[in-house]
């Protein structure tokens, strides 16, 4: 082998060593990147589409296949799943109210919002003038905002009267279980703010 060939080989080996060493977590330090969840395990880990197994932080609840997540690697090569990245613009989406119900004055317009932790929330107030029967449906939530199981919230439905807002898994939001016989006249309210956060169906 000529001296020129020897020098070329030595240079190539040095470059390879630098590249290999730089890729080692113990040398380059911690790393983070975005990844997509391929599988969710029962042991608290997720596996990405690139084959990385990362342990979820306690705050990363409701993991699901297809989630875009941030993962970080320690200098020892262990991976953590930091959590799901927010999608959409995070804005509130107005609800379509049932017949007879309208947004209440200076309060927020009834709306829903989805959160990246697998929950949803409602906001605003609606009003109905006149009689209110138990089980009356105020609105029906779209599929993405429906709860994983039926949920109930206590609220004031009229002056001096309380009731329960029930959100069913089919998305129907109804009022029932009143604290007394409601007057046939006067305003009745649906206070969506009581359902500020609930687990949604993923």
């Amino acid at each position: 082998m000529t001296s020129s060939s020897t020098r070329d080989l030595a240079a190539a080996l040095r470059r390879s060593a630098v590249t290999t060493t730089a890729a080692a977590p113990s040398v380059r330090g911690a790393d983070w990147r975005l990844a997509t969840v391929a599988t969710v395990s029962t042991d608290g880990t997720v596996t990405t589409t690139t084959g990385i197994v990362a342990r979820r932080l306690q705050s990363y609840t409701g993991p699901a296949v297809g989630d875009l997540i941030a993962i970080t690697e320690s200098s020892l090569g262990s991976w953590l799943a930091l959590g799901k990245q927010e999608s959409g613009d995070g804005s509130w989406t107005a609800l379509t109210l049932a017949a007879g119900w309208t947004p209440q004055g200076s309060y927020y317009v009834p709306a829903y919002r989805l959160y990246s932790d697998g929950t949803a929330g409602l906001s605003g107030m609606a009003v109905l003038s006149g009689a209110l029967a138990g089980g009356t449906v105020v609105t029906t939530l779209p599929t993405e905002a429906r709860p994983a199981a039926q949920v109930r919230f206590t609220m004031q439905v009229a002056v001096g009267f309380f009731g329960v807002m029930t959100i069913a898994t089919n998305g129907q939001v109804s009022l029932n279980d009143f604290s007394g016989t409601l007057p046939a006249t006067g305003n009745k309210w649906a206070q969506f703010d009581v359902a500020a956060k609930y687990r949604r169906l993923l």
Side-chain angles (χ1 to χ4, degrees):
M1 181 179 293
T2 65
S3 59
S4 176
S5 297
T6 302
R7 286 194 300 272
D8 291 344
L9 177 59
L13 291 174
R14 283 195 298 271
R15 288 193 298 271
S16 177
V18 169
T19 301
T20 301
T21 302
S26 59
V27 174
R28 60 178 164 77
D31 182 22
W32 79 271
R33 67 186 70 173
L34 294 178
T36 301
V37 174
T39 58
V40 178
S41 301
T42 57
D43 63 356
T45 63
V46 295
T47 302
T48 70
T49 53
T50 56
I52 294 173
V53 178
R55 182 159 298 281
R56 293 188 292 114
L57 292 184
Q58 190 174 25
S59 57
Y60 178 24
T61 58
V65 173
D67 282 355
L68 178 64
I69 62 173
I71 57 176
T72 183
E73 184 183 20
S74 73
S75 59
L76 297 178
S78 298
W79 288 91
L80 286 177
L82 303 180
K84 184 179 177 181
Q85 301 303 288
E86 197 64 78
S87 59
D89 59 8
S91 62
W92 291 91
T93 301
L95 292 168
T96 300
L97 300 175
W101 290 92
T102 58
Q104 170 66 55
S106 59
Y107 292 88
Y108 288 115
V109 171
Y112 74 92
R113 187 177 188 179
L114 307 181
Y115 298 101
S116 60
D117 62 355
T119 62
L122 305 183
S123 177
M125 184 183 292
V127 63
L128 172 73
S129 180
L132 173 62
T136 294
V137 174
V138 183
T139 188
T140 300
L141 302 179
T143 302
E144 66 268 20
R146 295 175 183 178
Q150 184 166 285
V151 292
R152 290 160 54 91
F153 303 91
T154 301
M155 52 169 280
Q156 186 177 31
V157 294
V159 176
F161 294 89
F162 292 83
V164 172
M165 174 179 281
T166 300
I167 307 176
T169 55
N170 64 1
Q172 290 188 342
V173 180
S174 61
L175 303 179
N176 44 54
D177 296 341
F178 306 132
S179 59
T181 302
L182 299 180
T185 60
N187 288 341
K188 311 302 185 299
W189 303 301
Q191 301 175 18
F192 291 99
D193 292 316
V194 297
K197 204 163 193 182
Y198 57 89
R199 183 179 174 186
R200 60 187 167 90
L201 183 63
L202 296 174

